[in-house]
Amino acid sequence: MNYIGWRSRKLIQKCKMALLLAVLVIAGSLLMPVNSLAQEVETKAKSAILVDAETGDILFQKEAELTLPPASMTKMMTEYLVMEAIEEGDISWDTTTQISDYPYSISANPSFSGVGLTQNKEYTVRALYEAMAINSDNATAIALAELIAGSEGEFVKMMNEKAAELGMEDYQFVNSTGLSNSDLGDNVPEGTSADDTNLMSAHAAATLAYHLVNDYPEALEISGTPTTQFDGQEIQNWNWMIPGMPGYLSDFGYEGVDGLKTGYTEMAGNTFTGTAKQDGQRLISVVMKTASREERFEETRKLFDYGFEQFETQELYATGYQMENSTSLPVTKGKENSVAIETGEALSTMVKEGEEDSYSIEYELEEEELTAPVESGQQVGQAKLVYDGELPDGNIVKENPNTVPVVTTSAVEKSNWFMLTLGGIGGFFGDLFTGAVDMVKGWF
C-alpha cells in the first residue's frame, strides 16, 4: 500500500470514530432524565436559602435554620420599623432630628462604617434612612431608633416583638445596627448585656426580607440605588450586584437586583440578603458566613442563576376549576337540592422544570351542606396546592399563600313556606310510614 492510500484509510477511521462519539453523546443526552439536566446548586456559604418572593416557597436551602450573627442584615428590621412608623403617621420622610451623643460617638469611630454625622444639625428621616440602607451607616440607624422609640433599648423591644409578629424563628435582636454589643462601650441598650450579639438564621432573614419587600416595596427604590448624595458627599452602596455600580464594581452587576442588605463583622463573616426580579418573577436569597465580600456575591449569583433558569411561574389550576368528585354541595331548604362549586381564582406558583406533575389540588370546605338562601360566588372553603416532589419542604410564611377561595357557581333561593311545609309534612309521614313498616316487619 502506498503512502497516500495509508493516509486515506487513517483519515476514514478517524472520521468514523468522531461520528460514533457524536452519536453516543447525542443518544446519552436524549436518554438523560430531564431533572438530571438541572442539577441543584452548590454553595460555599455556611448557610443559605432561596425563596420565591411572591409565595414564600423555599426553592433551595442549606443549613437554613442555623443561627448565626447577621451583622448589618440586622438593619432590615430597623428599615421595616421606620417604614411602619411612616405608614402609621408617627413620623414622615420630612421629619427632622438631631444626633445625640451616642450615635455621634459611633459615627466618629473610624472602625465603623459611617457617613460622618454632625451634632446640632437637623437631619431628615429620608436622609438618615438612605445613609443606613445604602451605605450601611450604623450611627444613622441608632438615630432613627432613638427618634421612633425614645431609646435604642425600647427600639430593641419593638424589633423582637415585630419579629414574633412576622412569624420569624431563630432570631435575637439586641441593637439596631448589627454591631456586637461589646463594640458599643457604655451605650449597651437597656435590657441587653455587653456580651450579647444579634442572631438570625438564613430562614429568619428571608422571612424578614419577604415582609419588607411585600409590605413596603418602596424600600427597594432606596436599597437599589447605586450611589447618592448625603450632606454634600457621595455615598456608595455596599451591594455590588446592583446594575450601574461605578468602576470595577460593575463586574458584579446582576440583572434585576435592587436590594437588599449586606453585612460584615469579624464574628459574622460576610453575609448578604439579596433580591432580584426578572420577567415578573422575584427571588429572595440569603447567604451567611462567606469568606469574602466577593464570595457573598458570587454565591448569591449561583442561587439566582439556579432560581431563574430552573423555575418559572405557571398557572396550574385555572379560575373555575372543579375538583373531581367534589363538584357540588348539597343544599337544604332551597329550590334546588345542590349547587356547583369551583375555584374562585387561578392557582399559580413557581415550578421547577420537569415537576409540573408533582402538584395536586385539595379542598378544605367549611361545611358539608349549605342552607338556602345561597348567593352566587359565596365562599364555601378554600383550595390549596399540594406538592409531592423533591424540592425542600417548606414555606417561610406561616399561612400558605398557595390557596384560593372555593365558591358557588350560582345562587339558590330559599324555598317558599308552602313547599317547606309540604316537605316537612312529607318528611313526617315518610318517617311515620317507615316506622310502621319496621313495626310490621317485627311482627313477622
Side-chain angles (χ1 to χ4, degrees):
M1 181 182 297
N2 59 31
Y3 176 75
I4 295 176
W6 178 81
R7 291 286 293 176
S8 298
R9 286 187 60 189
K10 282 291 186 181
L11 181 60
I12 292 171
Q13 288 174 353
K14 287 182 178 180
C15 290
K16 287 181 177 180
M17 183 62 70
L19 180 62
L20 178 61
L21 288 173
V23 170
L24 289 174
V25 168
I26 294 171
S29 64
L30 292 174
L31 293 173
M32 190 180 297
V34 173
N35 282 343
S36 67
L37 294 173
Q39 296 296 323
E40 194 164 274
V41 65
E42 295 183 359
T43 177
K44 298 176 183 177
K46 177 70 173 176
S47 176
I49 195 169
L50 178 71
V51 302
D52 174 15
E54 182 176 352
T55 65
D57 286 338
I58 299 173
L59 309 181
F60 169 83
Q61 60 183 342
K62 174 187 176 182
E63 295 193 63
E65 309 298 333
L66 185 63
T67 305
L68 296 166
S72 280
M73 292 197 311
T74 300
K75 293 185 178 75
M76 289 191 296
M77 179 58 83
T78 304
E79 293 173 19
Y80 189 97
L81 291 174
V82 171
M83 288 288 188
E84 185 177 65
I86 293 172
E87 180 184 46
E88 294 178 353
D90 297 330
I91 59 174
S92 73
W93 286 120
D94 296 325
T95 299
T96 61
T97 187
Q98 293 191 3
I99 307 303
S100 69
D101 291 343
Y102 168 29
Y104 179 73
S105 68
I106 296 296
S107 184
N109 189 330
S111 300
F112 307 131
S113 61
V115 294
L117 297 178
T118 303
Q119 289 190 296
N120 301 317
K121 178 178 179 176
E122 297 289 335
Y123 290 94
T124 65
V125 167
R126 178 81 182 197
L128 295 174
Y129 184 99
E130 288 183 351
M132 172 182 65
I134 296 172
N135 196 241
S136 198
D137 184 84
N138 292 305
T140 52
I142 299 169
L144 288 167
E146 291 180 338
L147 173 65
I148 291 171
S151 71
E152 189 177 26
E154 289 300 313
F155 190 79
V156 167
K157 292 180 183 178
M158 294 174 62
M159 296 173 79
N160 286 293
E161 290 170 359
K162 182 57 63 175
E165 181 184 321
L166 297 179
M168 293 172 59
E169 300 174 353
D170 309 312
Y171 66 89
Q172 171 184 273
F173 290 108
V174 297
N175 60 55
S176 62
T177 60
L179 296 171
S180 296
N181 272 4
S182 58
D183 295 325
L184 304 180
D186 297 331
N187 296 300
V188 173
E190 60 268 27
T192 68
S193 72
D195 297 328
D196 285 341
T197 190
N198 295 287
L199 294 171
M200 269 200 293
S201 64
H203 188 286
T207 303
L208 175 54
Y210 171 90
H211 286 286
L212 181 59
V213 165
N214 287 287
D215 296 348
Y216 301 109
E218 186 180 358
L220 295 173
E221 298 176 14
I222 299 174
S223 66
T225 302
T227 62
T228 193
Q229 293 291 316
F230 178 87
D231 212 11
Q233 61 179 314
E234 184 176 81
I235 58 174
Q236 185 173 284
N237 205 312
W238 286 99
N239 179 1
W240 299 349
M241 296 190 78
I242 298 171
M245 290 294 290
Y248 76 95
L249 299 182
S250 63
D251 295 340
F252 292 89
Y254 191 93
E255 180 187 351
V257 169
D258 52 7
L260 197 55
K261 194 70 201 73
T262 59
Y264 171 79
T265 63
E266 187 174 345
M267 181 185 298
N270 289 273
T271 65
F272 180 45
T273 297
T275 184
K277 186 175 183 179
Q278 293 184 6
D279 299 325
Q281 298 178 344
R282 179 173 290 280
L283 300 176
I284 294 171
S285 67
V286 181
V287 294
M288 302 185 74
K289 204 79 174 177
T290 62
S292 66
R293 291 175 180 172
E294 292 80 5
E295 187 172 272
R296 65 187 175 189
F297 301 127
E298 292 164 358
E299 298 309 296
T300 298
R301 177 180 292 273
K302 291 179 184 177
L303 295 180
F304 283 158
D305 283 347
Y306 171 69
F308 288 123
E309 291 173 6
Q310 302 301 330
F311 293 82
E312 69 172 350
T313 300
Q314 294 187 25
E315 181 181 294
L316 299 176
Y317 295 93
T319 302
Y321 175 83
Q322 291 187 305
M323 185 175 172
E324 189 176 353
N325 300 324
S326 188
T327 59
S328 65
L329 278 176
V331 178
T332 62
K333 300 183 179 180
K335 290 185 176 181
E336 286 85 27
N337 295 326
S338 65
V339 63
I341 57 175
E342 64 185 17
T343 56
E345 300 172 16
L347 268 167
S348 303
T349 194
M350 286 192 79
V351 180
K352 188 176 181 181
E353 182 181 357
E355 291 213 342
E356 293 82 357
D357 295 334
S358 297
Y359 294 86
S360 59
I361 194 170
E362 183 178 285
Y363 280 0
E364 294 178 347
L365 300 177
E366 297 170 359
E367 299 179 27
E368 295 181 358
E369 185 179 66
L370 301 177
T371 301
V374 176
E375 296 180 2
S376 178
Q378 178 177 320
Q379 183 169 346
V380 295
Q382 63 179 12
K384 68 176 182 179
L385 278 181
V386 179
Y387 174 74
D388 183 24
E390 299 179 355
L391 291 176
D393 181 24
N395 187 290
I396 60 171
V397 184
K398 285 189 174 181
E399 295 183 4
N400 187 353
N402 290 325
T403 61
V404 297
V406 176
V407 299
T408 58
T409 63
S410 60
V412 177
E413 295 181 11
K414 188 174 182 178
S415 186
N416 60 49
W417 68 271
F418 180 72
M419 295 303 297
L420 290 174
T421 301
L422 284 180
I425 293 172
F428 170 76
F429 282 108
D431 293 341
L432 187 63
F433 177 77
T434 301
V437 170
D438 289 342
M439 185 181 298
V440 171
K441 288 180 179 178
W443 292 345
F444 294 96

